[in-house]
Amino acid sequence: MRIQTVSTEPFEGQQPGTSGLRKKVKVFQQPHYLANFVQAVFDSIGDFAGQTLVVGGDGRFFNREAIQMILKMAAANGFGRVLVGQGGILSTPAASCVIRKNKAFGGLILSASHNPAGPDEDFGIKYNIGNGGPAPEGVTEAVFAHTRNIEFYNIVDCADLDLDHVGSFELAGMQVEVIDPVSDYAELMESLFDFTAIRALLASGFTMKFDAMHAVTGPYAKAILEGCLGAPAGTVMNGEPKEDFGGGHPDPNLTYAHDLVEIMYGDDAPDFGAASDGDGDRNMILGNHFFVTPSDSLAVLAANATRVPGYAGGIAGVARSMPTSAAVDRVAASLGLDCYETPTGWKFFGNLMDAGRVTLCGEESFGTGSGHVREKDGLWAVLFWLNILADRKEPVADILVDHWKQFGRNYYSRHDYEGVDAAAAAAVLKRVRDQFSTLPGTELAGRMVSLCDDFSYTDPVDGSVSRNQGVRVLFEDGSRMIFRLSGTGTSGATIRIYLESYEADAGRHGLDAQVALADMIEAAASVSQLQPLTGRDKPTVIT
Ligand code: G16
């Protein structure tokens, strides 16, 4: 087999976003486009000669072609071993698990997460470091710099490899091991949760549905929920991964997980419902006619963690992204735990977990996880909830009502305006920034504004600083209004407006969040002038 050195030229815009490089499939299909990015990664991560690389993806369209190319490039660039999921499949948390378990040098994960898949939709790639987590900004910036100067890449010239059967073979001196994508991950889950108690719950008449949204968690959920835990066949719906995710948008929220939402709000709704996204790292939790916000879910997991074997000794601390509600802060305060507020992006939790400062982390964008891997983990969150339900033997809604009684309720909602013209979106944020000096001390939505700023974060472990991480309007009573542009979209811009207000009075905990936040929603519209600047009069997604 011959190693080829292929001449190439840089492509514009190969800058990793919130979670790696995400573009339309058609962009990735341009000759040299993916190879340039992969070579730029290999040129940025230090000396990996003879080391192990983990490779896998969510199975979306272009996954197979991408993996063939990556394996041939890994061999040509001197990796000693590649672990690749059978059929090219690894959910994002499973990839993190395999990297950690095998002490790999790092991994390449192929996914555009919750974005739709297919020839005209999205693809993505990101590099994870040896702790199993997304590369920190120092690495992604180096990768971007290399993409701008690239002149050649290395690749083995050979026929496509058989990745559909578990086993191993050699490729130009590199060992390729095709592994079962589920088993390491399932074993890790069994080590954390009380499978006996969950089995008993599922055998007791308790009913549930899990929506895999035609994406990667299907095989994982079937093996664990229906296989190990004895949930009846059919508990996992949309469980066959498809290259186009069945034409859907595998984002587990009230808008896009409509099949599940209909069941959970219909007659004879099951006791528990959950969904995961394209690559298996997000989760949505539902009770019978009841939606648990991701921010509340994190708070409930933190408050109940010691009921679960993997966390029975207590948790070290918690972290949440800045736009996530402060519900978990209240739990942390009552347990005497540190609580960190990071920018949006799972990569910011890695250092805190590696340093042993936090055990549980979460984000409003339907991400929850812990130190068991270095990614958020959809199925892990579902099993955590099942373990709590098995222990408490109460309905999901009662657990939340009880939680709010103890800690108060952080009413919370996110309004997304997707596919907005990029210049108009920038103007909306500028409009709010222009009022930074005049808003504090004035009243908005019946509350006094205390501070306006661009959120910046200094990592307490390595001292690195990340600026411009969201525009904040903070109120004296703890309410918040945050404006941010998404870093994961692939067309136009997405404006996210995050709204939060705190209610201590249990008599007022039963409101719909949109009703409770109505005055904040109106104030956000007037401060940002979103409607006149973008022409949009309502959000595309409300969560
Ligand atoms: C990624 C990141 C998350 C982030 C989310 C939303 O998730 O890993 O940390 O919260 O994007 O980011 P944005 O608001 O910039 O769109 P995923 O599931 O897409 O990998």
Side-chain angles (χ1 to χ4, degrees), residues 18-19 22 113-114 277 279 281-282 344-346 363-365 376 484-488 496 498:
T18 308
S19 191
R22 291 189 189 164
S113 185
H114 52 289
D277 69 331
D279 61 331
D281 58 0
R282 297 185 174 205
T344 296
W346 204 261
E363 296 189 281
E364 49 64 40
S365 53
K376 53 190 188 277
R484 217 188 126 254
L485 299 184
S486 160
T488 56
R496 303 204 195 282
Y498 310 82

Side-chain angles (χ1 to χ4, degrees), residues 37-48 105 127 138-147:
F37 187 78
V38 171
Q39 187 66 50
V41 169
F42 291 163
D43 290 344
S44 308
I45 56 178
D47 182 12
F48 51 75
F105 189 85
Y127 177 68
V139 176
T140 55
E141 278 159 17
V143 172
F144 182 43
H146 274 106
T147 65

Side-chain angles (χ1 to χ4, degrees), residues 228-252:
C228 303
L229 294 169
T235 297
V236 177
M237 51 195 272
N238 302 322
E240 289 304 322
K242 297 196 178 138
E243 281 205 329
D244 66 349
F245 298 150
H249 189 149
D251 197 356

Side-chain angles (χ1 to χ4, degrees), residues 194-253:
D194 186 346
F195 272 28
T196 309
I198 300 174
R199 245 179 238 124
L201 174 76
L202 289 167
S204 71
F206 175 93
T207 50
M208 72 168 286
K209 277 278 180 200
F210 177 88
D211 188 352
M213 303 189 82
H214 305 289
V216 80
T217 41
Y220 294 85
K222 279 189 194 164
I224 296 172
L225 298 173
E226 296 179 7
C228 303
L229 294 169
T235 297
V236 177
M237 51 195 272
N238 302 322
E240 289 304 322
K242 297 196 178 138
E243 281 205 329
D244 66 349
F245 298 150
H249 189 149
D251 197 356
N253 60 39

Side-chain angles (χ1 to χ4, degrees), residues 38 41-42 45 48 50-56 67 69-75 77-85 90 95 98-99 102-109 125-130 174-177 179:
V38 171
V41 169
F42 291 163
I45 56 178
F48 51 75
Q51 304 272 341
T52 300
L53 180 74
V54 172
V55 183
I67 288 186
M69 180 180 289
I70 289 167
L71 261 53
K72 293 172 193 174
M73 289 185 66
N77 280 278
F79 274 97
R81 183 170 73 137
V82 163
L83 301 176
V84 57
L90 277 177
V98 173
I99 292 171
N102 292 281
K103 301 197 169 34
F105 189 85
L108 282 168
I109 302 180
I125 175 167
K126 70 172 175 178
Y127 177 68
N128 279 30
I129 58 176
M174 181 182 83
Q175 194 66 20
V176 177
E177 287 178 29
I179 59 169

Side-chain angles (χ1 to χ4, degrees), residues 339-358:
C339 177
Y340 296 86
E341 185 179 41
T342 64
T344 296
W346 204 261
K347 59 191 170 204
F348 293 101
F349 296 137
N351 273 351
L352 298 171
M353 290 194 270
D354 285 351
R357 293 188 185 218
V358 305

Side-chain angles (χ1 to χ4, degrees), residues 142-157:
V143 172
F144 182 43
H146 274 106
T147 65
R148 293 197 286 187
N149 297 314
I150 191 158
E151 291 176 353
F152 61 86
Y153 59 86
N154 302 317
I155 188 162
V156 173
D157 183 17

